[in-house]
Amino acid sequence: MQRVLKVHHADNVGVALTNLAAGETVELDGQTYTLPVAVPAKHKFSTVALEPGDPIHMYGVLVGKATQPIPKGGWINTQNVHHAADDFQVGVRHTDWARPDTSGFEGRTFNGYHRTDGSVGTANYWVVIPMVFCENRNLQVLQQALVDDLGYGRNRVYQDQARQLIDLYKSGKEVEDILGADLKADYGSGTTGHRLFPNVDGIKFLVHDGGCGGTRDDARALCGLLAGYITHPNVAGATVLSLGCQNAQVSILEEEIAKRSPGFNKPLFILEQQKIGKESTLLSEAIRKTFAGLMLANQATRKPAGLDKLCIGLECGGSDGFSGISANPAIGYTSDLLVSLGGSVILSEFPELCGVEQNLSDRCITSDLAGRFGGLMRAYNDRAKAVGSGFDMNPSPGNIRDGLITDAIKSAGAAKKGGTSPVTDVIDYPGKVSQPGLNLLCTPGNDVESTTAEVGAGANIVLFTTGLGTPTGNPIVPVVKLSSNTALFERMRDIIDIDTGTIIDGKETIRQAGERILDYVISVASGETTVAAVRHGQDDFILWKRGVSL
């Protein structure tokens, strides 16, 4: 197995692909390096002697500067390096790119749900949405009333384990017996019962903590996000519960729906508690209308659709030092394949594009788009600095532990998810994708907030890379998890769908992995393969609040 790697010919650091011992000699690009200290796997070592202030390059871009003398072969870490990134400006357009060979996918289709606006869903859900957090308890009542009896309940394995412990307690067992009990578990498929409506994949309840108490801009952004879910091709219809007096008014939601879908004609039931009166009346009406909506939703069936109807969200979370050299470039190749086939992809998490702005700016198809991208990046960073943070503070303790010691290192690897195609649009949150090709969507680096936004923008599949492991999912869209390393895949394979550690191990090229991933996407989009997040009912939904609470 290869032990070290240089990612880009202009880099002055190498990557340890396995743990390297102090005093060990390694060879890289025809040169040998004797390591003065141990370098953990996924971390970097210097290929030249560095003095304080000297630049550090990885992926061909500036990712930091030395704060202490670092000998040749020395370990790069938070004690001797700090974040640094090149400035950017609107420059010359660089939109020529090498399209990948798509011959293996020409004419391929997936079986999806065709909507009247021309979009195609990879699933078929009914959603129940509160306009404000005051309605969350009513959503819980509706969930209890509908989910299990309609056949969408979760496997009760953990309730069964609790009952086993109850029986042990009742039989007189002590604390030590309980702690040492061997609990039996039948995990099964993750769901219970037979679906009453076989063509409906589920009823999803988009509980959130917004709608009032914040700024009017946040209320409109929430309405835009909810409108993105209601008009989404994976959604057959919606039940909306409104209190009545909140900032996020129904009229704003209706405006946002009309923006995204001028000919909107899905079943939409809006119930306002303060107009209806009694809670019991509200809930009975909601149950009746939701059930009727499910009957309509069940009339939809899967039919063939071209791959140009796929819109893939590109996401990473719990990244490690291998993410940028295995999983991210692999889905970047998948992105290039889909773009070449006429589809759409979304690259978001703007704090994790710090240091690669110039490359992305130059790839924008017009100078206006490049200026819009730069403006959103600067404004976001300035807002973060105003509250005592900044993009440089993005890496988490887990990122740093596993080799992503500056935001620029993390960002340069994260941007690989977007492949090499031109940028066809730049969208501010909570906007919707309207152009095929690579779309840049302004979202936080937080993976759940970003995934939530990508789906609201129209992603009907999300590819989510991770090096440390995370269960993130979404209520209405399959989130495909990809591990950057095989050890993670083996350790957490109950929540990981695809292993790209094969690239690190030299068993597969980035191209081969990217093609394998697109094959998997087609299977998921057709309903033939169920991803782990869907099996587990991992319905993460977090809105992005930009403003303050008032």
Side-chain angles (χ1 to χ4, degrees):
M1 173 184 169
Q2 185 177 351
R3 297 177 62 77
V4 293
L5 172 74
K6 180 183 281 189
V7 177
H8 189 278
H9 66 84
D11 294 352
N12 58 1
V13 296
V15 182
L17 301 181
T18 186
N19 290 326
L20 303 176
E24 183 174 348
T25 298
V26 295
E27 184 176 340
L28 182 62
D29 288 349
Q31 295 193 45
T32 58
Y33 301 89
T34 299
L35 309 179
V37 298
V39 180
K42 309 179 186 180
H43 283 250
K44 291 81 188 170
F45 61 91
S46 176
T47 59
V48 295
L50 297 170
E51 295 297 325
D54 283 351
I56 295 171
H57 290 91
M58 187 176 175
Y59 300 99
V61 298
L62 177 68
V63 296
K65 290 188 176 180
T67 59
Q68 298 178 12
I70 304 174
K72 180 180 177 180
W75 177 29
I76 302 293
N77 57 66
T78 55
Q79 303 303 310
N80 56 23
V81 171
H82 68 74
H83 168 84
D86 285 323
D87 197 8
F88 58 96
Q89 60 186 357
V90 176
V92 178
R93 304 297 91 224
H94 293 293
T95 57
D96 291 337
W97 66 300
R99 292 176 177 269
D101 177 10
T102 59
S103 58
F105 295 94
E106 297 290 348
R108 294 278 298 276
T109 61
F110 72 98
N111 287 321
Y113 293 95
H114 292 246
R115 307 303 181 186
T116 57
D117 63 358
S119 62
V120 180
T122 60
N124 191 37
Y125 287 103
W126 188 273
V127 293
V128 183
I129 295 176
M131 292 300 298
V132 63
F133 53 79
C134 308
E135 293 295 326
N136 284 345
R137 187 180 65 82
N138 286 332
L139 257 72
Q140 292 171 353
V141 174
L142 292 176
Q143 188 170 8
Q144 292 168 356
L146 292 167
V147 170
D148 284 348
D149 287 345
L150 295 181
Y152 300 112
R154 307 306 306 167
N155 193 309
R156 297 172 182 259
V157 57
Y158 300 111
Q159 290 168 285
D160 292 342
Q161 290 183 352
R163 291 192 189 99
Q164 293 173 46
L165 294 177
I166 291 170
D167 291 342
L168 290 173
Y169 174 74
K170 287 180 176 179
S171 69
K173 298 297 182 182
E174 301 295 332
V175 170
E176 292 76 11
D177 300 313
I178 297 296
L179 291 175
D182 181 18
L183 299 178
K184 295 178 173 55
D186 178 13
Y187 295 98
S189 65
T191 58
T192 60
H194 175 72
R195 290 182 188 173
L196 182 62
F197 302 111
N199 293 332
V200 180
D201 292 301
I203 313 171
K204 297 299 180 177
F205 299 81
L206 307 188
V207 174
H208 61 79
D209 63 356
C212 207
T215 66
R216 295 298 190 270
D217 284 347
D218 274 345
R220 180 164 287 277
L222 170 63
C223 289
L225 179 68
L226 297 180
Y229 276 70
I230 292 171
T231 60
H232 195 282
N234 283 22
V235 171
T239 303
V240 177
L241 300 190
S242 169
L243 181 60
C245 59
Q246 71 276 348
N247 287 343
Q249 286 288 296
V250 167
S251 60
I252 304 175
L253 175 67
E254 291 172 333
E255 290 173 13
E256 294 294 330
I257 289 174
K259 284 182 188 177
R260 289 160 175 77
S261 181
F264 181 79
N265 62 354
K266 293 179 182 179
L268 177 63
F269 305 120
I270 299 175
L271 305 172
E272 190 166 298
Q273 187 170 1
Q274 289 171 347
K275 284 183 179 178
I276 290 174
K278 287 184 178 180
E279 184 178 277
S280 58
T281 305
L282 170 78
L283 291 170
S284 294
E285 186 71 3
I287 291 172
R288 183 162 49 247
K289 290 189 171 180
T290 300
F291 195 95
L294 289 165
M295 293 171 66
L296 295 173
N298 194 51
Q299 295 173 9
T301 57
R302 291 184 181 271
K303 299 176 183 177
L307 299 187
D308 61 314
K309 295 298 185 180
L310 289 175
C311 179
I312 295 181
L314 308 168
E315 194 62 44
C316 57
S319 299
D320 71 347
F322 286 164
S323 293
I325 56 180
S326 60
N328 291 348
I331 69 170
Y333 192 85
T334 305
S335 301
D336 285 348
L337 285 170
L338 187 60
V339 168
S340 295
L341 293 163
S344 306
V345 296
I346 306 172
L347 180 64
S348 58
E349 299 179 293
F350 272 30
E352 297 180 7
L353 301 179
C354 177
V356 293
E357 297 99 333
Q358 192 65 59
N359 173 269
L360 290 169
S361 176
D362 292 348
R363 286 163 57 190
C364 290
I365 59 174
T366 68
S367 295
D368 286 346
L369 280 181
R372 179 171 171 78
F373 171 59
L376 287 171
M377 286 291 291
R378 294 186 197 280
Y380 192 168
N381 198 20
D382 288 345
R383 287 199 306 272
K385 288 179 178 178
V387 292
S389 188
F391 287 175
D392 60 299
M393 299 181 71
N394 175 269
S396 70
N399 295 150
I400 294 169
R401 184 188 67 232
D402 272 42
L404 302 179
I405 62 171
T406 73
D407 185 53
I409 290 178
K410 182 177 179 181
S411 296
K416 295 294 182 183
K417 301 192 300 290
T420 61
S421 70
V423 174
T424 57
D425 205 359
V426 177
I427 307 166
D428 195 10
Y429 177 88
K432 180 181 178 179
V433 169
S434 61
Q435 301 295 325
L438 173 59
N439 294 260
L440 303 182
L441 174 66
C442 183
T443 74
N446 177 285
D447 48 21
V448 177
E449 287 177 302
S450 180
T451 300
T452 301
E454 287 185 340
V455 173
N460 53 13
I461 292 279
V462 174
L463 294 177
F464 189 117
T465 70
T466 182
L468 305 177
T470 173
T472 305
N474 182 266
I476 66 168
V477 165
V479 178
V480 180
K481 292 301 176 20
L482 305 98
S483 66
S484 70
N485 60 90
T486 301
L488 169 64
F489 180 72
E490 296 295 343
R491 187 172 66 253
M492 302 181 74
R493 61 191 316 161
D494 59 326
I495 65 170
I496 304 293
D497 302 295
I498 295 176
D499 177 29
T500 65
T502 50
I503 297 170
I504 300 296
D505 297 338
K507 298 176 181 177
E508 195 174 31
T509 65
I510 289 172
R511 172 180 173 173
Q512 289 168 334
E515 291 175 339
R516 174 166 61 93
I517 291 164
L518 184 52
D519 273 325
Y520 189 88
V521 164
I522 294 169
S523 177
V524 172
S526 297
E528 298 165 356
T529 298
T530 303
V531 300
V534 172
R535 289 198 306 272
H536 294 308
Q538 187 80 31
D539 294 339
D540 300 312
F541 182 87
I542 301 180
L543 55 94
W544 181 22
K545 290 184 180 179
R546 282 171 156 169
V548 296
S549 291
L550 299 175

